[in-house]
Amino acid sequence: MMSTSLRTMGVALTALFFASAATAQSPVLLKTRAAKLKALSAQLHQRDARDRQQAQVFAQGRGIALRRELPNGGVLELQRIVPGIGPVFYITNNVDAANTVSTDQVWPGGAAGLNLDGSGMTVAEWDGGAVFPDHADFTGRLNQVDGATEVSSHSTHVAGTLIGSGAWLFPESRGMAYAAQLDAYDWNSDTAEMAAAAAAGQLVSNHSYGIAAGWVFIGDLPPENWWWIGGADPADVEDPNFGYYDTESALWDQIAVDAPYYLIVKSASNDRSDIGPAPGEEYTVVDQDGNFLFTSTLPRQPDCAPAGYDCLPTHSVAKNILTVGAVDDLPGGYSPIAGPSAVAMADFSSWGPTDDGRIKPDLVGNGVLLFSAWPDLPYYALAAGTSMSTPNVAGSLILLQQHYENLNGPDNYMRAATLKALAIHTADEAGADPGPDYAFGWGLLNTRSAAEVISGNGGEHQIHERSLPNGGVDMVDVSVSQPDAVLRATLVWADPPGTPPAPALDPTDLMLVNDLDLRVIRGANTWQPWVLNPAIPAAAATTGDNFRDNVEQVRVSDAGSCDFRVEVRHKGNLLDNAAQDYALIVSVEPPPPVSAGFEIDEDFSGGLPPGWSVDTSMGIPWTINTPVPGDPRLDNNTGGSGNFAMVDNNYTNQTVTSLISPTLDLSTFNDTVLRFSSGYVFDTFESLNVDASTDGGVGWFNVWTFQGFNPFPTRYVLDLSAAIAGESNVKLRFRFDSEAESSGDYWQVDDVELEVFTGQASTGDPPGPPSSPSPVDGAADSGIDTHIAWTAGLLATSHDVYFGTASSLGAGEFQGNHAGTTFDPGPLATDTTYYWRIDEVNADGTTPGCTWSFTTQGEPPETIQADGFEGN
């Protein structure tokens, strides 16, 4: 097997990551254009040597360091000077991490039962220096391929998240692919080395770095506290490198095309936290020719201003790579019941769109305070950044290749487009609206769900690796038998590299070369993929024709029990009239649970609510407070408004106090989710807790606890289904515990909700769906005297008939309940599309059918009579 590489950009505090690697054998190499990649590698090595020499001369002539360690633990290094663009600096951008993306569930002993640890796989890492070779968590599994010797804390931390064993001192530092091999490189000549590694069969690589753009925090005294590298002209208030598809992006895309099994995993960058100097503070300007020109106090906008979007620098916008943003820990992993609101965006993680409006980042992973290997005492550290979320994802992806090989035989792996499609197809929804967005991309990686699609291939899931000929159309048939199930189809292809536009601010030239189209069709109905509007980047995704992205996804959630056709075709001519390889994944997913409302919905506007109580063992009790606007302690600091519940300990008491809910009967509910808004200040000792009781408050058990630092108003979302759903004597309590210390300032709680769900389970034996419609679905030229007919569903005793010209059939189209399986709608209009649906009925329930359609024939041509003859 060949190796997989991971690299991330991070705000270093210290963190851990686990990597995986795969060594590709002949099936991979047969599809890899090795000779072309080797020639490209040789050319790029010559280019890089020349650029490196020029950069050294430039740095020496101006008395600046070619490379420097930044105060946040990152690295900044001058790589080259590009005419028309300027200086190019590279800048560096775990059990909790595995838990957040469910990777721990596919480990040996995990809930998925898959025993995946990266054994036999190799992952690759390019980063800001050498990995510390003597760390015990890498023993026997680290290969510093390029011979680099300048050890980087950042590189070591990323390596730990990828492949660290966690066996030396701290098991919680375990990486994602903790038994894999790591091929490590520094970032000098990265593209040339990537081409060579791809030619040898590399499967996955990690890149936790990118180019520096806009503001760069140096950390010295002003004017060396901040550098501005976005242009020297006073009008240059935004760096044009954000969102720009440059020549290096095109090279990475070309490597991906020539090495179809090689997936490059790249950090999004951390520019949303680069706000620049304080007003009036002096900073250093570096011009577009690489000259450190002058100092300035001219106001320039923060990176990602004004709304947080458009701050992905160059490499991060390549089409065929997987770009990864960062979110906070998600203890216990993602819950469909808790939903997208539980996924908290990291405040530093860069957002799209690209200049041509493509969806980037692709995914998010855990990038906040990961605990991982470090080269200095105590040899472990916490770090945050998209540099940390990237190995969280990359190390997990190599486990999916291991799983695929386990099921399909030695050296059989997914194409990179397939692996990318799988990660996107199974990602958990994140963000405020359904579908993708420019902040979270397609959502949060779910390693277990992706592994289950591999396991279920050929059943409820289909994984297709195909090639679309020029002018061709490919089709896949799918049958949906469960009412309200969700049909999802995801298409990904390695698109030929685009032609970079001339350097400018936000050029909109489309970089997509081969425009493939994904559609789901049933009769006269067509479902189109998600699309975003780059002109309004915060707007929710809609559906339509996607002409920007080489990722398309269609979701059908309201079509009933039907047969569908998934189609892949293309616009215009494919490049050189050559066939385009693509990956298509299709799944039929169970319907989501049904909300039954709220058992608790409390904002404390009326004081202590009826049935609620306060139990204080010692110290200061909970009170219901009216906010004091502007007061740092007594205003509502939860993010809510109006009254709030509060423990005001003020560092003076040993306190244990609980705010307790009334008794709840949850015996008829399958799932429960608790939400509450919280505000507090940092302290070392006290703990904040949510406890539950299923015996009316006699005995309690903890369901959530927090100790540490979070100075921001936070909305917590907890899936308590396993703890309290189905129980008849439930109480919840919010417990502040100073842990026997006279410490802790305050805890505020507001807007408490306990939502309950019934699920989709049915009792008895409801009927099956109808089938065999007549006329067939989508029929044309039907007569105006057409009768409809169908085959009854299993166990159906009668049939609710809906018929009309509205595609969304409702009460107005209900034609009554019928015993037979035919229906005469009466005379029909010509040249009209009619829609109809049969819901099957018996004593145990009603099963909706799918909506069918047919179109009647047009008006017959008029006849002309002359000289005793009739004719047209």
Side-chain angles (χ1 to χ4, degrees):
M1 302 172 192
M2 287 309 300
S3 61
T4 305
S5 139
L6 300 176
R7 200 192 283 182
T8 310
M9 303 177 76
V11 178
L13 302 173
T14 49
L16 99 87
F17 186 78
F18 206 124
S20 69
T23 306
Q25 299 292 345
S26 54
V28 172
L29 295 176
L30 285 173
K31 294 287 187 179
T32 299
R33 298 167 182 165
K36 182 178 179 182
L37 287 165
K38 290 176 181 177
L40 176 62
S41 177
Q43 293 171 5
L44 292 175
H45 271 299
Q46 292 179 355
R47 180 204 70 173
D48 293 341
R50 180 182 65 251
D51 290 347
R52 189 73 174 164
Q53 184 178 29
Q54 291 175 347
Q56 288 173 341
V57 170
F58 172 80
Q60 290 170 358
R62 285 159 181 79
I64 63 170
L66 191 69
R67 171 190 174 93
R68 66 169 71 192
E69 297 281 338
L70 299 178
N72 62 9
V75 177
L76 182 73
E77 186 165 3
L78 180 62
Q79 288 291 312
R80 55 188 173 274
I81 300 170
V82 179
I85 295 178
V88 174
F89 295 91
Y90 277 4
I91 188 169
T92 52
N93 299 40
N94 268 336
V95 168
D96 280 346
N99 191 232
T100 298
V101 300
S102 75
T103 298
D104 60 336
Q105 296 186 37
V106 305
W107 285 344
L114 295 178
N115 299 313
L116 304 176
D117 59 7
S119 297
M121 309 298 287
T122 301
V123 67
E125 173 193 352
W126 276 263
D127 213 291
V131 175
F132 180 50
D134 296 327
H135 201 290
D137 281 349
F138 305 146
T139 301
R141 296 182 298 113
L142 171 64
N143 177 24
Q144 190 69 46
V145 179
D146 60 353
T149 57
E150 188 165 358
V151 171
S152 162
S153 301
H154 187 274
S155 302
T156 302
H157 195 278
V158 168
T161 305
L162 287 169
I163 65 143
S165 69
W168 182 29
L169 296 177
F170 297 105
E172 60 268 31
S173 71
R174 174 185 289 183
M176 303 303 106
Y178 58 87
Q181 299 288 319
L182 178 66
D183 282 353
Y185 306 77
D186 69 15
W187 56 25
N188 297 320
S189 298
D190 56 347
T191 304
E193 292 165 345
M194 290 159 62
Q202 186 76 41
L203 292 180
V204 178
S205 64
N206 189 89
H207 304 257
S208 291
Y209 62 94
I211 75 159
W215 291 109
V216 179
F217 181 66
I218 301 300
D220 295 338
L221 293 175
E224 289 291 309
N225 191 30
W226 287 94
W227 282 2
W228 170 258
I229 59 175
D233 191 286
D236 294 331
V237 296
E238 176 186 344
D239 193 323
N241 278 306
F242 288 129
Y244 177 62
Y245 185 91
D246 68 348
T247 56
E248 212 71 11
S249 303
L251 283 170
W252 285 23
D253 279 342
Q254 184 64 61
I255 291 171
V257 169
D258 291 333
Y261 287 85
Y262 173 43
L263 181 61
I264 301 164
V265 186
K266 168 76 175 66
S267 58
S269 81
N270 306 318
D271 287 275
R272 272 199 319 125
S273 58
D274 288 345
I275 61 174
E281 180 180 317
E282 196 173 22
Y283 58 88
T284 296
V285 176
V286 181
D287 78 3
Q288 293 298 297
D289 294 320
N291 299 306
F292 290 73
L293 286 181
F294 51 81
T295 63
S296 176
T297 58
L298 178 73
R300 301 179 193 271
Q301 66 186 20
D303 295 348
C304 315
Y309 294 93
D310 186 20
C311 51
L312 293 170
T314 60
H315 301 49
S316 298
V317 307
K319 294 179 290 184
N320 300 329
I321 69 173
L322 188 75
T323 304
V324 181
V327 297
D328 206 345
D329 291 345
L330 201 58
Y334 188 92
S335 163
I337 303 298
S341 60
V343 184
M345 171 62 62
D347 61 359
F348 50 77
S349 186
S350 290
W351 295 353
T354 66
D355 285 347
D356 62 332
R358 285 178 290 112
I359 299 170
K360 289 284 180 175
D362 297 293
L363 291 174
V364 291
N366 186 358
V368 177
L369 299 182
L370 275 68
F371 184 62
S372 187
W374 202 250
D376 306 312
L377 287 171
Y379 299 114
Y380 295 89
L382 293 167
T386 58
S387 283
M388 282 67 248
S389 61
T390 304
N392 176 219
V393 170
S396 302
L397 295 182
I398 203 66
L399 298 183
L400 296 177
Q401 288 285 30
Q402 181 188 10
H403 181 44
Y404 192 87
E405 183 191 29
N406 288 346
L407 294 180
N408 293 279
D411 306 323
N412 283 291
Y413 301 110
M414 292 174 282
R415 293 176 186 165
T418 311
L419 181 57
K420 180 177 177 179
L422 181 64
I424 289 171
H425 184 81
T426 56
D428 289 319
E429 184 70 67
D433 300 296
D437 58 50
Y438 290 127
F440 296 91
W442 293 93
L444 177 66
L445 177 73
N446 188 323
T447 307
R448 179 176 179 175
S449 292
E452 288 173 345
V453 169
I454 295 172
S455 299
N457 185 25
E460 66 272 27
H461 307 289
Q462 300 181 45
I463 301 175
H464 298 278
E465 295 185 331
R466 294 185 175 182
S467 188
L468 183 69
N470 192 50
V473 179
D474 282 354
M475 291 174 285
V476 173
D477 293 326
V478 184
S479 180
V480 179
S481 59
Q482 183 179 5
D484 302 322
V486 174
L487 170 62
R488 189 188 308 271
T490 303
L491 172 71
V492 175
W493 66 99
D495 195 52
T499 301
L505 184 62
D506 299 328
T508 58
D509 310 53
L510 295 178
M511 292 296 100
L512 191 65
V513 175
N514 286 338
D515 186 359
L516 273 57
D517 289 320
L518 176 66
R519 302 290 186 267
V520 174
I521 299 170
R522 196 207 62 238
N525 300 284
T526 298
W527 286 264
Q528 293 185 299
W530 294 110
V531 292
L532 291 175
N533 182 359
I536 313 175
T542 57
T543 58
D545 179 30
N546 190 328
F547 54 85
R548 294 185 172 95
D549 294 282
N550 59 327
V551 175
E552 296 195 1
Q553 186 181 96
V554 176
R555 185 179 188 272
V556 182
S557 58
D558 57 355
S561 305
C562 303
D563 293 330
F564 296 84
R565 184 174 73 252
V566 180
E567 283 191 358
V568 178
R569 59 177 69 227
H570 68 86
K571 299 184 184 76
N573 289 321
L574 298 175
L575 182 66
D576 299 328
N577 293 324
Q580 172 66 60
D581 290 346
Y582 68 87
L584 175 67
I585 301 180
V586 182
S587 295
V588 178
E589 304 163 356
V594 177
S595 175
F598 296 89
E599 289 293 295
I600 298 175
D601 188 3
E602 186 54 62
D603 64 2
F604 304 105
S605 59
L608 185 68
W612 288 69
S613 61
V614 174
D615 180 17
T616 303
S617 301
M618 64 175 68
I620 304 299
W622 283 89
T623 57
I624 307 302
N625 289 36
T626 300
V628 179
D631 190 297
R633 299 179 48 75
L634 300 178
D635 202 353
N636 190 330
N637 297 319
T638 69
S641 61
N643 288 358
F644 55 91
M646 180 177 185
V647 181
D648 191 5
N649 200 54
N650 201 20
Y651 294 99
T652 59
N653 294 276
Q654 295 184 25
T655 293
V656 180
T657 183
S658 299
L659 176 66
I660 304 174
S661 77
T663 302
L664 308 169
D665 182 0
L666 307 180
S667 58
T668 60
F669 304 116
N670 299 323
D671 297 287
T672 59
V673 61
L674 175 68
R675 303 181 184 92
F676 63 94
S677 298
S678 177
Y680 50 88
V681 291
F682 169 72
D683 187 76
T684 304
F685 301 106
E686 85 273 15
S687 65
L688 315 179
N689 302 273
V690 175
D691 302 324
S693 171
T694 55
D695 56 10
V698 177
W700 294 90
F701 54 92
N702 183 262
V703 294
W704 176 85
T705 190
F706 183 87
Q707 287 180 287
F709 177 71
N710 184 355
F712 308 106
T714 303
R715 184 73 172 167
Y716 288 103
V717 184
L718 310 177
D719 184 352
L720 302 184
S721 302
I724 60 176
E727 300 289 342
S728 61
N729 200 16
V730 173
K731 285 192 172 187
L732 298 173
R733 71 182 184 188
F734 296 89
R735 176 171 53 90
F736 179 95
D737 190 338
S738 67
E739 303 291 345
E741 298 283 343
S742 296
S743 64
D745 194 356
Y746 65 77
W747 185 21
Q748 297 180 356
V749 171
D750 198 4
D751 298 322
V752 180
E753 298 175 342
L754 183 70
E755 189 174 8
V756 291
F757 299 81
T758 59
Q760 291 285 349
S762 300
T763 58
D765 293 307
S771 60
S772 304
S774 177
V776 296
D777 188 23
D781 294 326
S782 297
I784 60 175
D785 58 351
T786 294
H787 297 188
I788 59 174
W790 63 94
T791 298
L794 183 67
L795 302 179
T797 56
S798 64
H799 319 276
D800 288 344
V801 177
Y802 293 80
F803 186 94
T805 57
S807 60
S808 179
L809 296 168
E813 289 73 40
F814 181 56
Q815 307 297 329
N817 180 265
H818 298 262
T821 57
T822 62
F823 174 72
D824 181 3
L828 305 175
T830 58
D831 198 21
T832 301
T833 298
Y834 289 90
Y835 299 88
W836 57 292
R837 188 182 81 235
I838 308 300
D839 293 352
E840 301 292 54
V841 181
N842 69 14
D844 291 324
T846 299
T847 300
C850 67
T851 299
W852 294 311
S853 69
F854 64 87
T855 302
T856 54
Q857 61 194 15
E859 292 280 358
E862 294 184 3
T863 60
I864 300 173
Q865 185 171 350
D867 298 328
F869 295 96
E870 290 186 355
N872 290 331

